Amino acid sequence: MHEYMAPVDLTRCYRMLNHGPVVLVSARHGERANVMSASWTTPLDFDPPKIIVILDKQSFTRKLLEASGELVISIPQRKIAEQVLLAGSMTGHDGDKFERAGLEFFPATIVGAPLVKDCAGWLECRLIPEPANQEKYDMFIVEVVAAWSDPRVFSEGRWHFAGEEDRTIHYQSGGAFFMTGETFVCEGKES
Amino acid sequence: MHEYMAPVDLTRCYRMLNHGPVVLVSARHGERANVMSASWTTPLDFDPPKIIVILDKQSFTRKLLEASGELVISIPQRKIAEQVLLAGSMTGHDGDKFERAGLEFFPATIVGAPLVKDCAGWLECRLIPEPANQEKYDMFIVEVVAAWSDPRVFSEGRWHFAGEEDRTIHYQSGGAFFMTGETFVCEGKES
């Protein structure tokens, strides 16, 4: 296991994605593994936790997911944004994208897909087969079977970033990202 | 039309949601309109642009969508975060939520659902009926038929926030939000 890796309660793991960060999706089948960046993803259910991920038909990671029925969602931070951009702009059809994108990985606990190092959190997922959605919309529904966070930035169901490099990130276009910004709290009282 | 409201090219409108902000979903059927906040949404396709929105079975806005086949996604800013929280914590079954949440609205150009004032952008949408997804997963697929932005914060396919109050927001839990943070640009060159 990773040096900084603590279990996250499955019913709270949606909170790792609720703010809409860009993620890294990884999958493995046999000897081949791959990773790609993805912005088009959303939580779908709390318990059991489900997530939607949109994966283009050209994607090699998608092929590995379809063959293995498993994927991992890793939540990257500012410090590896350059690698996230690379993982979104090259294809794994030509060979292992991890090395070319400068990303390292380590084994998951339940699924065969690898976890990406230097991330803020990880969701190990199994595909819920929905062939019509997959074919028609490139939409994949997965169930989270294990969730982990770097407890320095996410614990007790909450994010608590310290430095800029720790922050999760959100993709715009053309190489531009937003950092996840400051937290503020509302009271939600009727005026 | 709103004082600050410029058309957005439909094939670029996904960029208004790519960074995962919380949105306001509004719908109308006959005399009844309603609005709710939603974090579980993602772009689904570029052209024609499609979006996925997850709407709980208890939601009155969902009932109006199912009856009318239309909704509007408004993208709120920091300045109305308190109202966004309220719109997410009360139900429209009891009566008009706009007034109680302190939100104002104005007419859309194509659909019957209303646009929420003081937002950064608006997507007028028509439901693509997918009864199985709606029933099984509370998942609604919509096609964007008109897109608008406040050009002071989004133009030429890019966000350009000035002050804090202008920024889009991302929901965490328990009344806590993130502001959309600073932009940074990566080069995406292999090292």
Side-chain angles (χ1 to χ4, degrees), chain A residues 11-70:
Chain A
T11 62
R12 280 176 161 184
C13 74
Y14 75 93
R15 295 189 187 176
M16 303 180 81
L17 296 180
N18 215 54
H19 65 305
V22 63
V23 301
L24 292 166
V25 176
S26 50
R28 176 191 301 281
H29 181 62
E31 293 300 301
R32 287 299 308 272
N34 202 41
V35 61
M36 60 178 285
S37 52
S39 287
W40 291 9
T41 174
T42 178
L44 172 65
D45 206 349
F46 296 100
D47 187 14
K50 297 187 192 77
I51 294 169
I52 293 174
V53 185
I54 313 302
L55 299 173
D56 191 81
K57 288 189 175 58
Q58 306 303 318
S59 153
F60 186 63
T61 303
R62 171 174 169 162
K63 303 266 182 301
L64 299 176
L65 163 63
E66 288 172 332
S68 67
E70 298 174 344

Short mmCIF file of all heavy atoms in Angstrom, two decimals, chain A residues 11-70:
data_model
loop_
_atom_site.label_atom_id
_atom_site.label_comp_id
_atom_site.label_asym_id
_atom_site.label_seq_id
_atom_site.Cartn_x
_atom_site.Cartn_y
_atom_site.Cartn_z
N THR A 11 -20.03 4.98 1.79
CA THR A 11 -21.21 5.83 1.59
C THR A 11 -20.84 7.31 1.53
O THR A 11 -21.67 8.14 1.19
CB THR A 11 -22.24 5.64 2.73
OG1 THR A 11 -21.64 6.03 3.96
CG2 THR A 11 -22.69 4.20 2.81
N ARG A 12 -19.60 7.64 1.88
CA ARG A 12 -19.17 9.03 1.80
C ARG A 12 -18.22 9.29 0.64
O ARG A 12 -17.75 10.41 0.47
CB ARG A 12 -18.44 9.42 3.08
CG ARG A 12 -19.36 9.75 4.24
CD ARG A 12 -18.47 10.02 5.45
NE ARG A 12 -19.17 10.74 6.49
CZ ARG A 12 -18.58 11.16 7.61
NH1 ARG A 12 -17.29 10.94 7.81
NH2 ARG A 12 -19.27 11.82 8.53
N CYS A 13 -17.91 8.25 -0.13
CA CYS A 13 -16.85 8.45 -1.12
C CYS A 13 -17.29 9.37 -2.25
O CYS A 13 -16.44 9.94 -2.94
CB CYS A 13 -16.33 7.11 -1.64
SG CYS A 13 -17.43 6.24 -2.75
N TYR A 14 -18.61 9.57 -2.43
CA TYR A 14 -19.07 10.52 -3.46
C TYR A 14 -18.52 11.92 -3.20
O TYR A 14 -18.38 12.72 -4.12
CB TYR A 14 -20.60 10.56 -3.51
CG TYR A 14 -21.23 11.32 -2.36
CD1 TYR A 14 -21.52 12.68 -2.48
CD2 TYR A 14 -21.48 10.70 -1.14
CE1 TYR A 14 -22.07 13.38 -1.42
CE2 TYR A 14 -22.01 11.39 -0.07
CZ TYR A 14 -22.31 12.73 -0.22
OH TYR A 14 -22.83 13.44 0.83
N ARG A 15 -18.21 12.19 -1.93
CA ARG A 15 -17.71 13.53 -1.60
C ARG A 15 -16.34 13.81 -2.18
O ARG A 15 -15.91 14.95 -2.24
CB ARG A 15 -17.66 13.71 -0.08
CG ARG A 15 -19.03 13.67 0.56
CD ARG A 15 -18.94 14.05 2.00
NE ARG A 15 -20.21 13.87 2.69
CZ ARG A 15 -20.37 14.07 3.99
NH1 ARG A 15 -19.36 14.45 4.74
NH2 ARG A 15 -21.56 13.89 4.54
N MET A 16 -15.67 12.78 -2.61
CA MET A 16 -14.37 12.99 -3.25
C MET A 16 -14.55 13.53 -4.67
O MET A 16 -13.63 14.13 -5.22
CB MET A 16 -13.58 11.69 -3.26
CG MET A 16 -13.41 11.13 -1.85
SD MET A 16 -12.48 9.58 -1.82
CE MET A 16 -10.82 10.24 -1.93
N LEU A 17 -15.74 13.29 -5.24
CA LEU A 17 -16.00 13.72 -6.62
C LEU A 17 -17.06 14.80 -6.71
O LEU A 17 -17.32 15.32 -7.80
CB LEU A 17 -16.45 12.52 -7.46
CG LEU A 17 -15.44 11.40 -7.66
CD1 LEU A 17 -16.07 10.30 -8.51
CD2 LEU A 17 -14.17 11.92 -8.31
N ASN A 18 -17.70 15.13 -5.60
CA ASN A 18 -18.86 16.02 -5.65
C ASN A 18 -18.53 17.40 -6.23
O ASN A 18 -19.39 18.05 -6.82
CB ASN A 18 -19.43 16.19 -4.23
CG ASN A 18 -20.92 16.32 -4.22
OD1 ASN A 18 -21.62 15.46 -4.75
ND2 ASN A 18 -21.44 17.40 -3.63
N HIS A 19 -17.28 17.83 -6.06
CA HIS A 19 -16.89 19.16 -6.55
C HIS A 19 -16.38 19.13 -7.99
O HIS A 19 -15.93 20.16 -8.49
CB HIS A 19 -15.88 19.80 -5.61
CG HIS A 19 -14.55 19.08 -5.53
ND1 HIS A 19 -14.44 17.75 -5.22
CD2 HIS A 19 -13.28 19.52 -5.73
CE1 HIS A 19 -13.14 17.41 -5.22
NE2 HIS A 19 -12.44 18.46 -5.54
N GLY A 20 -16.46 17.97 -8.64
CA GLY A 20 -16.21 17.93 -10.08
C GLY A 20 -14.77 18.03 -10.54
O GLY A 20 -14.50 18.63 -11.58
N PRO A 21 -13.82 17.40 -9.82
CA PRO A 21 -12.44 17.48 -10.28
C PRO A 21 -12.19 16.61 -11.51
O PRO A 21 -12.96 15.69 -11.79
CB PRO A 21 -11.65 16.92 -9.08
CG PRO A 21 -12.59 15.92 -8.47
CD PRO A 21 -13.96 16.54 -8.61
N VAL A 22 -11.12 16.91 -12.23
CA VAL A 22 -10.67 16.00 -13.28
C VAL A 22 -10.10 14.76 -12.59
O VAL A 22 -9.56 14.85 -11.48
CB VAL A 22 -9.62 16.68 -14.20
CG1 VAL A 22 -8.36 17.04 -13.45
CG2 VAL A 22 -9.30 15.81 -15.39
N VAL A 23 -10.26 13.61 -13.21
CA VAL A 23 -9.76 12.37 -12.62
C VAL A 23 -8.88 11.62 -13.62
O VAL A 23 -8.88 11.92 -14.82
CB VAL A 23 -10.91 11.44 -12.16
CG1 VAL A 23 -11.79 12.14 -11.12
CG2 VAL A 23 -11.73 10.93 -13.33
N LEU A 24 -8.15 10.66 -13.10
CA LEU A 24 -7.42 9.71 -13.93
C LEU A 24 -8.14 8.37 -13.86
O LEU A 24 -8.43 7.88 -12.76
CB LEU A 24 -5.97 9.57 -13.43
CG LEU A 24 -5.11 10.82 -13.62
CD1 LEU A 24 -3.82 10.71 -12.81
CD2 LEU A 24 -4.78 11.02 -15.10
N VAL A 25 -8.45 7.81 -15.01
CA VAL A 25 -9.12 6.51 -15.09
C VAL A 25 -8.09 5.50 -15.55
O VAL A 25 -7.44 5.70 -16.59
CB VAL A 25 -10.30 6.56 -16.07
CG1 VAL A 25 -10.93 5.18 -16.21
CG2 VAL A 25 -11.33 7.58 -15.63
N SER A 26 -7.92 4.43 -14.80
CA SER A 26 -6.95 3.40 -15.19
C SER A 26 -7.63 2.04 -15.24
O SER A 26 -8.61 1.79 -14.54
CB SER A 26 -5.76 3.38 -14.23
OG SER A 26 -6.18 3.35 -12.89
N ALA A 27 -7.10 1.19 -16.09
CA ALA A 27 -7.65 -0.16 -16.24
C ALA A 27 -6.53 -1.10 -16.65
O ALA A 27 -5.47 -0.67 -17.13
CB ALA A 27 -8.77 -0.18 -17.29
N ARG A 28 -6.75 -2.38 -16.40
CA ARG A 28 -5.77 -3.39 -16.76
C ARG A 28 -6.49 -4.62 -17.30
O ARG A 28 -7.56 -4.97 -16.82
CB ARG A 28 -4.96 -3.82 -15.52
CG ARG A 28 -3.96 -4.94 -15.80
CD ARG A 28 -3.36 -5.52 -14.52
NE ARG A 28 -2.68 -4.54 -13.71
CZ ARG A 28 -1.44 -4.11 -13.95
NH1 ARG A 28 -0.76 -4.57 -14.99
NH2 ARG A 28 -0.90 -3.22 -13.16
N HIS A 29 -5.89 -5.26 -18.30
CA HIS A 29 -6.37 -6.57 -18.74
C HIS A 29 -5.14 -7.38 -19.11
O HIS A 29 -4.38 -7.00 -20.01
CB HIS A 29 -7.31 -6.44 -19.94
CG HIS A 29 -7.83 -7.77 -20.41
ND1 HIS A 29 -8.61 -8.59 -19.62
CD2 HIS A 29 -7.66 -8.43 -21.58
CE1 HIS A 29 -8.90 -9.69 -20.29
NE2 HIS A 29 -8.33 -9.62 -21.48
N GLY A 30 -4.95 -8.46 -18.40
CA GLY A 30 -3.75 -9.27 -18.64
C GLY A 30 -2.51 -8.44 -18.35
O GLY A 30 -2.39 -7.81 -17.31
N GLU A 31 -1.62 -8.38 -19.33
CA GLU A 31 -0.36 -7.67 -19.14
C GLU A 31 -0.47 -6.18 -19.46
O GLU A 31 0.45 -5.42 -19.17
CB GLU A 31 0.73 -8.28 -20.05
CG GLU A 31 1.13 -9.70 -19.67
CD GLU A 31 1.68 -9.75 -18.24
OE1 GLU A 31 2.68 -9.06 -17.95
OE2 GLU A 31 1.09 -10.48 -17.41
N ARG A 32 -1.56 -5.79 -20.10
CA ARG A 32 -1.67 -4.39 -20.54
C ARG A 32 -2.45 -3.57 -19.54
O ARG A 32 -3.55 -3.92 -19.14
CB ARG A 32 -2.36 -4.31 -21.92
CG ARG A 32 -1.53 -4.78 -23.09
CD ARG A 32 -0.25 -3.98 -23.29
NE ARG A 32 -0.45 -2.53 -23.35
CZ ARG A 32 -0.71 -1.85 -24.47
NH1 ARG A 32 -0.81 -2.47 -25.61
NH2 ARG A 32 -0.85 -0.54 -24.43
N ALA A 33 -1.88 -2.41 -19.17
CA ALA A 33 -2.58 -1.44 -18.32
C ALA A 33 -2.54 -0.10 -19.04
O ALA A 33 -1.71 0.13 -19.93
CB ALA A 33 -1.91 -1.33 -16.96
N ASN A 34 -3.46 0.77 -18.67
CA ASN A 34 -3.44 2.10 -19.28
C ASN A 34 -4.13 3.10 -18.36
O ASN A 34 -4.85 2.72 -17.43
CB ASN A 34 -4.10 2.09 -20.67
CG ASN A 34 -3.63 3.26 -21.51
OD1 ASN A 34 -2.44 3.60 -21.50
ND2 ASN A 34 -4.53 3.91 -22.21
N VAL A 35 -3.92 4.36 -18.65
CA VAL A 35 -4.49 5.43 -17.85
C VAL A 35 -4.88 6.57 -18.78
O VAL A 35 -4.23 6.79 -19.81
CB VAL A 35 -3.47 5.92 -16.78
CG1 VAL A 35 -2.20 6.45 -17.41
CG2 VAL A 35 -4.09 6.94 -15.84
N MET A 36 -5.95 7.26 -18.44
CA MET A 36 -6.36 8.44 -19.22
C MET A 36 -6.97 9.45 -18.25
O MET A 36 -7.42 9.11 -17.16
CB MET A 36 -7.40 8.05 -20.27
CG MET A 36 -8.66 7.46 -19.69
SD MET A 36 -9.90 7.07 -20.96
CE MET A 36 -10.51 8.70 -21.36
N SER A 37 -6.98 10.70 -18.66
CA SER A 37 -7.66 11.72 -17.85
C SER A 37 -9.09 11.84 -18.33
O SER A 37 -9.40 11.59 -19.50
CB SER A 37 -6.92 13.05 -17.93
OG SER A 37 -6.70 13.41 -19.25
N ALA A 38 -9.99 12.22 -17.41
CA ALA A 38 -11.41 12.31 -17.73
C ALA A 38 -12.06 13.40 -16.89
O ALA A 38 -11.88 13.45 -15.67
CB ALA A 38 -12.11 10.98 -17.47
N SER A 39 -12.79 14.28 -17.55
CA SER A 39 -13.56 15.30 -16.84
C SER A 39 -15.03 14.96 -16.79
O SER A 39 -15.76 15.47 -15.96
CB SER A 39 -13.41 16.65 -17.53
OG SER A 39 -12.14 17.20 -17.32
N TRP A 40 -15.47 14.12 -17.71
CA TRP A 40 -16.89 13.82 -17.82
C TRP A 40 -17.24 12.63 -16.96
O TRP A 40 -17.30 11.49 -17.42
CB TRP A 40 -17.26 13.60 -19.28
CG TRP A 40 -17.17 14.85 -20.11
CD1 TRP A 40 -16.64 16.05 -19.72
CD2 TRP A 40 -17.61 15.04 -21.46
NE1 TRP A 40 -16.73 16.97 -20.74
CE2 TRP A 40 -17.32 16.37 -21.82
CE3 TRP A 40 -18.22 14.20 -22.39
CZ2 TRP A 40 -17.63 16.90 -23.08
CZ3 TRP A 40 -18.53 14.72 -23.66
CH2 TRP A 40 -18.24 16.06 -23.98
N THR A 41 -17.49 12.92 -15.72
CA THR A 41 -17.80 11.90 -14.73
C THR A 41 -18.66 12.53 -13.65
O THR A 41 -18.57 13.73 -13.40
CB THR A 41 -16.49 11.31 -14.15
OG1 THR A 41 -16.81 10.41 -13.10
CG2 THR A 41 -15.59 12.38 -13.61
N THR A 42 -19.53 11.74 -13.03
CA THR A 42 -20.36 12.25 -11.93
C THR A 42 -20.73 11.11 -11.00
O THR A 42 -20.90 9.97 -11.45
CB THR A 42 -21.66 12.92 -12.46
OG1 THR A 42 -22.44 13.35 -11.33
CG2 THR A 42 -22.50 11.96 -13.27
N PRO A 43 -20.86 11.40 -9.70
CA PRO A 43 -21.48 10.42 -8.83
C PRO A 43 -22.90 10.12 -9.32
O PRO A 43 -23.56 11.00 -9.89
CB PRO A 43 -21.53 11.12 -7.46
CG PRO A 43 -20.50 12.19 -7.53
CD PRO A 43 -20.51 12.64 -8.97
N LEU A 44 -23.36 8.90 -9.09
CA LEU A 44 -24.68 8.49 -9.54
C LEU A 44 -25.55 8.01 -8.39
O LEU A 44 -26.78 8.13 -8.43
CB LEU A 44 -24.53 7.38 -10.59
CG LEU A 44 -25.80 6.68 -11.07
CD1 LEU A 44 -26.70 7.67 -11.81
CD2 LEU A 44 -25.46 5.52 -12.00
N ASP A 45 -24.92 7.46 -7.35
CA ASP A 45 -25.70 6.95 -6.22
C ASP A 45 -24.81 6.89 -4.98
O ASP A 45 -23.58 6.84 -5.10
CB ASP A 45 -26.26 5.56 -6.54
CG ASP A 45 -27.53 5.25 -5.76
OD1 ASP A 45 -27.87 6.00 -4.83
OD2 ASP A 45 -28.17 4.23 -6.09
N PHE A 46 -25.46 6.90 -3.81
CA PHE A 46 -24.72 6.91 -2.55
C PHE A 46 -24.38 5.50 -2.05
O PHE A 46 -23.27 5.26 -1.59
CB PHE A 46 -25.59 7.57 -1.44
CG PHE A 46 -25.90 9.01 -1.66
CD1 PHE A 46 -27.12 9.40 -2.17
CD2 PHE A 46 -24.97 9.99 -1.35
CE1 PHE A 46 -27.42 10.74 -2.36
CE2 PHE A 46 -25.25 11.33 -1.53
CZ PHE A 46 -26.48 11.71 -2.04
N ASP A 47 -25.39 4.59 -2.08
CA ASP A 47 -25.23 3.33 -1.36
C ASP A 47 -26.01 2.22 -2.05
O ASP A 47 -27.23 2.21 -1.95
CB ASP A 47 -25.70 3.51 0.09
CG ASP A 47 -25.41 2.30 0.95
OD1 ASP A 47 -24.62 1.44 0.53
OD2 ASP A 47 -26.00 2.23 2.04
N PRO A 48 -25.36 1.29 -2.73
CA PRO A 48 -23.91 1.28 -2.91
C PRO A 48 -23.48 2.41 -3.85
O PRO A 48 -24.23 2.78 -4.76
CB PRO A 48 -23.65 -0.10 -3.55
CG PRO A 48 -24.94 -0.48 -4.20
CD PRO A 48 -26.02 0.14 -3.37
N PRO A 49 -22.30 2.95 -3.63
CA PRO A 49 -21.86 4.10 -4.42
C PRO A 49 -21.63 3.73 -5.87
O PRO A 49 -20.96 2.73 -6.16
CB PRO A 49 -20.57 4.54 -3.73
CG PRO A 49 -20.10 3.35 -2.98
CD PRO A 49 -21.31 2.57 -2.61
N LYS A 50 -22.20 4.53 -6.74
CA LYS A 50 -22.02 4.32 -8.17
C LYS A 50 -21.54 5.62 -8.81
O LYS A 50 -21.85 6.71 -8.33
CB LYS A 50 -23.34 3.91 -8.83
CG LYS A 50 -23.90 2.59 -8.34
CD LYS A 50 -25.12 2.18 -9.19
CE LYS A 50 -25.87 1.04 -8.53
NZ LYS A 50 -26.70 1.51 -7.39
N ILE A 51 -20.84 5.48 -9.91
CA ILE A 51 -20.27 6.62 -10.63
C ILE A 51 -20.49 6.40 -12.12
O ILE A 51 -20.45 5.26 -12.59
CB ILE A 51 -18.76 6.73 -10.32
CG1 ILE A 51 -18.56 7.07 -8.84
CG2 ILE A 51 -18.09 7.78 -11.19
CD1 ILE A 51 -17.13 6.95 -8.38
N ILE A 52 -20.73 7.50 -12.82
CA ILE A 52 -20.78 7.46 -14.29
C ILE A 52 -19.47 8.02 -14.83
O ILE A 52 -19.00 9.07 -14.37
CB ILE A 52 -21.94 8.33 -14.83
CG1 ILE A 52 -23.29 7.72 -14.46
CG2 ILE A 52 -21.83 8.51 -16.34
CD1 ILE A 52 -24.47 8.61 -14.84
N VAL A 53 -18.90 7.34 -15.80
CA VAL A 53 -17.71 7.83 -16.50
C VAL A 53 -17.98 7.74 -17.99
O VAL A 53 -18.43 6.70 -18.47
CB VAL A 53 -16.46 6.99 -16.16
CG1 VAL A 53 -15.22 7.60 -16.80
CG2 VAL A 53 -16.27 6.87 -14.65
N ILE A 54 -17.71 8.83 -18.71
CA ILE A 54 -17.88 8.83 -20.16
C ILE A 54 -16.52 8.54 -20.80
O ILE A 54 -15.54 9.25 -20.53
CB ILE A 54 -18.41 10.20 -20.66
CG1 ILE A 54 -19.59 10.68 -19.81
CG2 ILE A 54 -18.76 10.12 -22.14
CD1 ILE A 54 -20.78 9.75 -19.77
N LEU A 55 -16.46 7.50 -21.64
CA LEU A 55 -15.20 7.07 -22.25
C LEU A 55 -15.39 6.89 -23.75
O LEU A 55 -16.16 6.03 -24.19
CB LEU A 55 -14.74 5.74 -21.63
CG LEU A 55 -14.47 5.76 -20.11
CD1 LEU A 55 -14.20 4.34 -19.62
CD2 LEU A 55 -13.29 6.66 -19.79
N ASP A 56 -14.65 7.67 -24.51
CA ASP A 56 -14.75 7.65 -25.96
C ASP A 56 -14.43 6.27 -26.55
O ASP A 56 -13.64 5.51 -25.98
CB ASP A 56 -13.76 8.67 -26.52
CG ASP A 56 -13.98 8.92 -27.98
OD1 ASP A 56 -14.88 9.70 -28.32
OD2 ASP A 56 -13.25 8.31 -28.79
N LYS A 57 -15.05 5.98 -27.69
CA LYS A 57 -14.83 4.67 -28.33
C LYS A 57 -13.39 4.47 -28.76
O LYS A 57 -12.93 3.35 -28.91
CB LYS A 57 -15.76 4.52 -29.54
CG LYS A 57 -17.22 4.31 -29.14
CD LYS A 57 -18.11 3.94 -30.30
CE LYS A 57 -19.52 3.63 -29.81
NZ LYS A 57 -20.17 4.73 -29.08
N GLN A 58 -12.64 5.54 -28.98
CA GLN A 58 -11.24 5.43 -29.36
C GLN A 58 -10.34 5.05 -28.19
O GLN A 58 -9.18 4.70 -28.39
CB GLN A 58 -10.72 6.78 -29.91
CG GLN A 58 -11.54 7.34 -31.05
CD GLN A 58 -11.64 6.36 -32.20
OE1 GLN A 58 -10.65 5.73 -32.56
NE2 GLN A 58 -12.82 6.22 -32.78
N SER A 59 -10.86 5.16 -26.98
CA SER A 59 -10.01 5.04 -25.80
C SER A 59 -9.53 3.61 -25.58
O SER A 59 -10.31 2.65 -25.53
CB SER A 59 -10.82 5.51 -24.58
OG SER A 59 -10.37 4.89 -23.40
N PHE A 60 -8.21 3.47 -25.40
CA PHE A 60 -7.66 2.15 -25.11
C PHE A 60 -8.01 1.70 -23.70
O PHE A 60 -8.25 0.51 -23.44
CB PHE A 60 -6.13 2.17 -25.31
CG PHE A 60 -5.50 0.82 -25.18
CD1 PHE A 60 -5.81 -0.21 -26.06
CD2 PHE A 60 -4.58 0.55 -24.18
CE1 PHE A 60 -5.23 -1.46 -25.95
CE2 PHE A 60 -4.00 -0.70 -24.06
CZ PHE A 60 -4.32 -1.70 -24.94
N THR A 61 -8.07 2.67 -22.77
CA THR A 61 -8.50 2.35 -21.40
C THR A 61 -9.89 1.73 -21.41
O THR A 61 -10.18 0.80 -20.65
CB THR A 61 -8.48 3.63 -20.54
OG1 THR A 61 -7.17 4.20 -20.58
CG2 THR A 61 -8.86 3.35 -19.10
N ARG A 62 -10.75 2.25 -22.27
CA ARG A 62 -12.10 1.67 -22.40
C ARG A 62 -12.05 0.21 -22.82
O ARG A 62 -12.79 -0.62 -22.29
CB ARG A 62 -12.92 2.50 -23.40
CG ARG A 62 -14.24 1.87 -23.78
CD ARG A 62 -15.05 2.80 -24.65
NE ARG A 62 -16.21 2.13 -25.25
CZ ARG A 62 -17.24 2.78 -25.76
NH1 ARG A 62 -17.25 4.11 -25.77
NH2 ARG A 62 -18.24 2.12 -26.29
N LYS A 63 -11.17 -0.09 -23.75
CA LYS A 63 -11.04 -1.49 -24.20
C LYS A 63 -10.64 -2.40 -23.03
O LYS A 63 -11.16 -3.51 -22.87
CB LYS A 63 -9.97 -1.60 -25.29
CG LYS A 63 -10.20 -0.74 -26.52
CD LYS A 63 -10.91 -1.48 -27.61
CE LYS A 63 -11.08 -0.60 -28.87
NZ LYS A 63 -11.84 0.65 -28.63
N LEU A 64 -9.71 -1.90 -22.21
CA LEU A 64 -9.26 -2.69 -21.06
C LEU A 64 -10.39 -2.85 -20.04
O LEU A 64 -10.55 -3.92 -19.44
CB LEU A 64 -8.04 -2.03 -20.41
CG LEU A 64 -6.80 -1.90 -21.32
CD1 LEU A 64 -5.70 -1.14 -20.59
CD2 LEU A 64 -6.30 -3.27 -21.75
N LEU A 65 -11.17 -1.79 -19.85
CA LEU A 65 -12.33 -1.86 -18.95
C LEU A 65 -13.35 -2.88 -19.47
O LEU A 65 -13.87 -3.71 -18.71
CB LEU A 65 -12.97 -0.47 -18.83
CG LEU A 65 -14.40 -0.42 -18.28
CD1 LEU A 65 -14.47 -0.93 -16.85
CD2 LEU A 65 -14.96 0.99 -18.36
N GLU A 66 -13.63 -2.82 -20.77
CA GLU A 66 -14.62 -3.74 -21.34
C GLU A 66 -14.16 -5.19 -21.21
O GLU A 66 -14.97 -6.10 -21.00
CB GLU A 66 -14.89 -3.38 -22.80
CG GLU A 66 -15.71 -2.09 -22.92
CD GLU A 66 -15.83 -1.58 -24.36
OE1 GLU A 66 -14.92 -1.85 -25.18
OE2 GLU A 66 -16.81 -0.90 -24.66
N ALA A 67 -12.85 -5.40 -21.31
CA ALA A 67 -12.33 -6.77 -21.22
C ALA A 67 -12.25 -7.27 -19.78
O ALA A 67 -12.45 -8.45 -19.50
CB ALA A 67 -10.94 -6.83 -21.87
N SER A 68 -11.98 -6.37 -18.84
CA SER A 68 -11.73 -6.79 -17.45
C SER A 68 -12.92 -6.53 -16.52
O SER A 68 -13.02 -7.15 -15.45
CB SER A 68 -10.52 -6.03 -16.89
OG SER A 68 -10.82 -4.64 -16.77
N GLY A 69 -13.79 -5.58 -16.88
CA GLY A 69 -14.91 -5.22 -16.01
C GLY A 69 -14.50 -4.42 -14.78
O GLY A 69 -15.28 -4.30 -13.82
N GLU A 70 -13.30 -3.82 -14.80
CA GLU A 70 -12.82 -3.09 -13.63
C GLU A 70 -12.10 -1.81 -14.05
O GLU A 70 -11.48 -1.76 -15.12
CB GLU A 70 -11.83 -3.94 -12.84
CG GLU A 70 -12.43 -5.22 -12.27
CD GLU A 70 -11.40 -6.12 -11.60
OE1 GLU A 70 -10.18 -5.91 -11.83
OE2 GLU A 70 -11.81 -7.03 -10.88
#
